[in-house]
């Protein structure tokens, strides 16, 4: 393993002003996104949508350091026959690949899931490297049960350990293959829990994750963390301020993430576009931490463009304008230079 080469990639992924575009929706998930704009999800439509994003300038050149792809997309060509991987590389961004095969029910632990995909991963990583991937993503999913639920409360220690163990094994295999692992333990924000509970669970999960990474010989210098922010569940009646979200998130990260990690790229997880941008911006305005803090957003980078596009070729320019705007706003947030006025002006 060439740790310097891995570190060079990781540092490039979190370059100030840039972040990661998560365009790795599985065929099922992108089908749901397309349903929301009344568009049928076909092989060609998925290609058109993603090709449009990867051709958007100056967003790609100035604000996207890497793109996470799905297996179908890393093998797919643009309409003119250029590979989508080449489009990404030509814009100066790094192609990446989602390698987990999804979260399945965890036996013995009702209400919890385990992310699968370790079997055969060594060979798959070799192929993805040849196809151009220089980083990978694996997402573990942690669900917080309803605050009134005492019996069968989640997450359990067993559920957390199973998931962080898988993340550790995945990360070690990636580094062996010359690929930077994005380790993503996502604490979901859909529930009724308050921000203090999200804080507690996120802290447990990240502590468990970094223990596993250490025990499995993962070099932190060649790793990117993709966590949730510390927020209240969407159905909680008491929603924290942006200051509280930023302060709690920084506190949890400082308490658990070693300084050797070059960067932390957040998921948006269902926050709306502006919320995801302003929370990242607030953290970078506060500052005082050893890693770069940036974005690895899926929905928060794509949603406005998706609604502008509506599956129609004639909306191509409007969709690119929407993507350019979100990319620019998030680029500013990665430096703590965003403002509501600038966002509204776009
Ligand atoms: P969201 O930003 O839509 O949560 O997607 C990021 C991602 O890659 C989740 O795995």
């Amino acid at each position: 393993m060439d740790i310097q080469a891995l570190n060079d990639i990781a540092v490039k992924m979190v370059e100030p002003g840039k972040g990661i575009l998560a365009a790795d929706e599985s065929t099922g998930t992108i089908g749901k996104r397309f349903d929301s704009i009344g568009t049928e999800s076909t092989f060609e439509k998925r290609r058109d949508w993603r090709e449009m994003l990867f051709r958007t300038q100056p967003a790609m050149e100035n604000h996207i350091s890497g793109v996470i792809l799905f297996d179908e997309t890393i093998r797919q060509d643009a309409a003119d026959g250029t590979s989508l991987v080449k489009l990404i590389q030509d814009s100066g961004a790094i192609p990446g690949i989602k390698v987990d095969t999804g979260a399945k029910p965890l036996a013995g632990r009702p209400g919890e899931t385990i992310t699968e995909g370790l079997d055969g991963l060594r060979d798959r990583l070799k192929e993805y490297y040849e196809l151009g991937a220089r980083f990978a993503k694996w997402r573990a999913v942690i669900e917080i049960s309803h605050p009134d639920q005492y019996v069968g409360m989640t997450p359990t220690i067993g559920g957390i350990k199973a998931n962080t163990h898988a993340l550790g094994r995945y990360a070690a295999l990636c580094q062996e293959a010359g690929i930077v692992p994005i380790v993503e333990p996502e604490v979901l924000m859909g529930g009724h829990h308050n921000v203090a509970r999200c804080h507690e669970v996120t802290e447990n999960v990240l502590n468990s994750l970094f223990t596993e990474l250490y025990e499995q010989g993962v070099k932190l210098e060649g790793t990117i963390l993709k966590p949730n922010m510390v927020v209240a569940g969407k159905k909680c009646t008491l929603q924290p301020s942006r200051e509280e979200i930023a302060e709690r998130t920084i506190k949890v990260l400082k308490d658990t993430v070693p300084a050797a990690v070059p960067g932390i790229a957040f998921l948006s997880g269902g926050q709306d576009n502006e919320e995801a941008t302003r929370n990242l911006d607030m953290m970078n305005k506060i500052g005082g931490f050893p890693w770069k803090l940036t974005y690895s957003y899926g929905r928060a980078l794509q949603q406005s463009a998706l609604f502008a596009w509506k599956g129609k070729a004639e909306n191509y320019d409007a969709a690119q304008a929407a993507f350019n705007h979100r990319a620019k706003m998030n680029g500013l947030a990665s430096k703590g230079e965003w403002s509501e006025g600038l966002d509204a002006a776009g």
Side-chain angles (χ1 to χ4, degrees):
M1 181 208 313
D2 180 349
I3 183 62
Q4 189 54 53
L6 290 171
N7 180 250
D8 289 346
I9 297 166
V11 166
K12 203 162 173 252
M13 287 164 70
V14 294
E15 203 177 302
K18 292 189 178 185
I20 297 158
L21 168 63
D24 60 323
E25 299 84 0
S26 62
T27 308
T29 302
I30 199 156
K32 282 186 227 152
R33 306 272 190 270
F34 279 18
D35 280 349
S36 72
I37 54 161
T39 296
E40 196 192 342
S41 173
T42 62
F43 182 82
E44 288 76 21
K45 278 282 177 198
R46 293 192 289 274
R47 188 268 320 274
D48 290 348
W49 164 244
R50 287 167 168 154
E51 178 178 348
M52 183 277 296
L53 291 174
F54 307 158
R55 285 191 189 277
T56 303
Q57 295 299 353
M60 287 295 298
E61 216 173 293
N62 293 349
H63 303 299
I64 303 298
S65 59
V67 182
I68 317 175
L69 301 169
F70 184 57
D71 182 77
E72 174 183 278
T73 324
I74 200 170
R75 305 169 192 281
Q76 210 166 19
D77 289 338
D80 68 1
T82 317
S83 77
L84 293 180
V85 163
K86 186 161 185 316
L87 280 189
I88 293 166
Q89 288 166 335
D90 286 350
S91 76
I94 308 168
I97 181 76
K98 184 225 301 286
V99 300
D100 68 68
T101 56
K104 310 282 157 53
L106 177 60
R109 290 284 170 223
E112 292 184 275
T113 60
I114 178 69
T115 299
E116 295 186 345
L118 287 173
D119 287 356
L121 182 56
R122 176 175 275 137
D123 292 336
R124 286 198 292 132
L125 286 168
K126 219 176 273 171
E127 190 199 359
Y128 286 138
Y129 187 95
E130 279 159 20
L131 289 169
R134 292 296 176 270
F135 71 92
K137 179 190 110 171
W138 178 289
R139 172 175 174 258
V141 183
I142 308 290
E143 180 143 12
I144 301 179
S145 55
H146 193 286
D148 294 343
Q149 186 176 343
Y150 292 105
V151 177
M153 198 172 149
T154 69
T156 62
I157 293 172
I160 291 173
K161 272 185 114 164
N163 275 289
T164 56
H165 180 75
L167 276 163
R169 288 197 49 206
Y170 141 82
L173 282 163
C174 284
Q175 292 193 333
E176 181 188 89
I179 289 180
V180 169
I182 294 184
V183 286
E184 178 181 10
E186 175 173 3
V187 178
L188 297 177
M189 59 178 287
H192 291 79
H193 56 275
N194 64 19
V195 68
R197 177 74 177 133
C198 179
H199 188 139
E200 177 184 45
V201 171
T202 304
E203 184 177 318
N204 285 342
V205 169
L206 292 177
N207 268 320
S208 171
L209 174 64
F210 283 97
T211 303
E212 285 289 345
L213 295 182
Y214 177 72
E215 287 180 357
Q216 293 179 51
V218 176
K219 304 290 178 230
L220 298 183
E221 295 87 338
T223 307
I224 297 290
L225 173 68
K226 175 164 174 167
N228 52 284
M229 295 180 195
V230 176
V231 294
K234 280 220 153 178
K235 295 181 200 133
C236 179
T237 47
L238 220 96
Q239 290 293 324
S241 66
R242 74 181 74 175
E243 287 80 8
E244 185 173 2
I245 291 170
E247 280 160 13
R248 282 185 181 271
T249 305
I250 291 172
K251 168 90 175 107
V252 167
L253 295 173
K254 278 189 172 173
D255 283 344
T256 58
V257 184
V261 173
I264 298 174
F266 292 100
L267 58 96
S268 59
Q271 295 186 46
D272 73 32
N273 291 344
E274 197 174 314
E275 222 179 332
T277 307
R278 76 160 154 81
N279 289 336
L280 174 63
D281 178 67
M282 180 54 63
M283 287 183 246
N284 280 311
K285 279 191 166 69
I286 294 170
F289 31 76
W291 350 261
K292 297 281 184 297
L293 289 194
T294 188
Y295 47 93
S296 174
Y297 293 160
R299 283 160 287 181
L301 272 170
Q302 295 183 52
Q303 205 152 28
S304 53
L306 187 71
F307 282 106
W309 180 58
K310 295 190 192 74
K312 298 197 172 85
E314 69 255 34
N315 296 331
Y316 197 96
D317 291 350
Q320 288 201 326
F323 179 44
N324 262 325
H325 185 58
R326 285 307 345 132
K328 186 173 174 192
M329 291 302 107
N330 284 304
L332 288 168
S334 76
K335 298 188 284 185
E337 293 171 4
W338 173 85
S339 74
E340 253 155 59
L342 281 171
D343 210 322

